[in-house]
Short mmCIF file of all heavy atoms in Angstrom, two decimals:
data_model
loop_
_atom_site.label_atom_id
_atom_site.label_comp_id
_atom_site.label_asym_id
_atom_site.label_seq_id
_atom_site.Cartn_x
_atom_site.Cartn_y
_atom_site.Cartn_z
N ASP A 358 -6.50 21.70 3.87
CA ASP A 358 -6.21 23.08 4.24
C ASP A 358 -7.16 24.05 3.52
O ASP A 358 -7.67 25.00 4.12
CB ASP A 358 -4.76 23.43 3.92
CG ASP A 358 -3.78 22.93 4.97
OD1 ASP A 358 -4.24 22.52 6.05
OD2 ASP A 358 -2.57 22.93 4.68
N ALA A 359 -7.38 23.81 2.23
CA ALA A 359 -8.19 24.73 1.41
C ALA A 359 -9.66 24.74 1.81
O ALA A 359 -10.36 25.73 1.63
CB ALA A 359 -8.03 24.39 -0.06
N GLY A 361 -10.81 23.84 4.96
CA GLY A 361 -11.01 23.81 6.40
C GLY A 361 -10.95 25.17 7.08
O GLY A 361 -10.60 26.18 6.48
N CYS A 363 -10.15 26.82 11.33
CA CYS A 363 -9.58 26.55 12.64
C CYS A 363 -10.62 26.92 13.71
O CYS A 363 -11.15 28.03 13.71
CB CYS A 363 -8.31 27.34 12.85
SG CYS A 363 -7.42 26.92 14.38
N ASN A 373 -11.32 30.62 14.57
CA ASN A 373 -10.15 31.48 14.73
C ASN A 373 -9.54 31.66 13.35
O ASN A 373 -8.93 30.76 12.77
CB ASN A 373 -9.12 30.81 15.67
CG ASN A 373 -7.98 31.74 16.01
OD1 ASN A 373 -7.46 32.44 15.17
ND2 ASN A 373 -7.58 31.74 17.28
N LYS A 374 -9.70 32.86 12.80
CA LYS A 374 -9.25 33.12 11.42
C LYS A 374 -7.75 33.45 11.32
O LYS A 374 -7.24 33.64 10.23
CB LYS A 374 -10.06 34.28 10.83
CG LYS A 374 -11.55 33.96 10.69
CD LYS A 374 -12.29 35.11 10.01
CE LYS A 374 -13.77 34.73 9.84
NZ LYS A 374 -14.54 35.81 9.17
N GLU A 375 -7.09 33.45 12.46
CA GLU A 375 -5.66 33.75 12.44
C GLU A 375 -4.87 32.62 11.82
O GLU A 375 -3.81 32.85 11.19
CB GLU A 375 -5.20 33.97 13.88
CG GLU A 375 -3.70 34.25 14.01
CD GLU A 375 -3.24 34.38 15.45
OE1 GLU A 375 -4.12 34.41 16.36
OE2 GLU A 375 -2.03 34.47 15.69
N PHE A 376 -5.37 31.39 11.94
CA PHE A 376 -4.64 30.22 11.44
C PHE A 376 -5.31 29.70 10.17
O PHE A 376 -6.52 29.46 10.13
CB PHE A 376 -4.60 29.14 12.51
CG PHE A 376 -3.98 29.60 13.78
CD1 PHE A 376 -4.77 29.90 14.89
CD2 PHE A 376 -2.60 29.77 13.90
CE1 PHE A 376 -4.22 30.33 16.09
CE2 PHE A 376 -2.04 30.22 15.08
CZ PHE A 376 -2.85 30.51 16.18
N THR A 377 -4.53 29.53 9.11
CA THR A 377 -5.09 29.13 7.80
C THR A 377 -4.63 27.75 7.35
O THR A 377 -4.86 27.38 6.20
CB THR A 377 -4.70 30.18 6.72
OG1 THR A 377 -3.27 30.28 6.68
CG2 THR A 377 -5.29 31.53 7.06
N SER A 378 -3.97 27.02 8.22
CA SER A 378 -3.56 25.67 7.85
C SER A 378 -3.75 24.74 9.05
O SER A 378 -3.76 25.20 10.21
CB SER A 378 -2.09 25.63 7.42
OG SER A 378 -1.23 25.84 8.53
N LYS A 379 -3.90 23.48 8.77
CA LYS A 379 -4.10 22.49 9.84
C LYS A 379 -2.91 22.44 10.78
O LYS A 379 -3.08 22.35 12.02
CB LYS A 379 -4.33 21.11 9.20
CG LYS A 379 -4.56 20.01 10.21
CD LYS A 379 -4.81 18.68 9.51
CE LYS A 379 -5.02 17.55 10.48
NZ LYS A 379 -5.29 16.25 9.79
N SER A 381 -0.61 24.79 11.59
CA SER A 381 -0.52 25.95 12.47
C SER A 381 -1.65 25.95 13.49
O SER A 381 -1.46 26.33 14.65
CB SER A 381 -0.51 27.24 11.67
OG SER A 381 -1.72 27.39 10.93
N CYS A 382 -2.83 25.53 13.07
CA CYS A 382 -3.99 25.48 13.97
C CYS A 382 -3.77 24.47 15.09
O CYS A 382 -3.97 24.75 16.26
CB CYS A 382 -5.23 25.13 13.16
SG CYS A 382 -6.75 24.95 14.16
N TRP A 389 -8.84 21.65 13.80
CA TRP A 389 -9.00 21.97 12.37
C TRP A 389 -10.07 21.06 11.78
O TRP A 389 -10.07 19.85 12.00
CB TRP A 389 -7.70 21.79 11.61
CG TRP A 389 -7.79 22.20 10.17
CD1 TRP A 389 -8.07 21.40 9.09
CD2 TRP A 389 -7.61 23.51 9.65
NE1 TRP A 389 -8.08 22.15 7.94
CE2 TRP A 389 -7.80 23.46 8.28
CE3 TRP A 389 -7.31 24.76 10.25
CZ2 TRP A 389 -7.68 24.59 7.43
CZ3 TRP A 389 -7.20 25.86 9.44
CH2 TRP A 389 -7.38 25.77 8.05
#
Side-chain angles (χ1 to χ4, degrees):
D358 280 348
C363 187
N373 188 319
K374 296 184 178 180
E375 178 183 353
F376 303 104
T377 58
S378 71
K379 180 179 179 179
S381 61
C382 178
W389 184 267

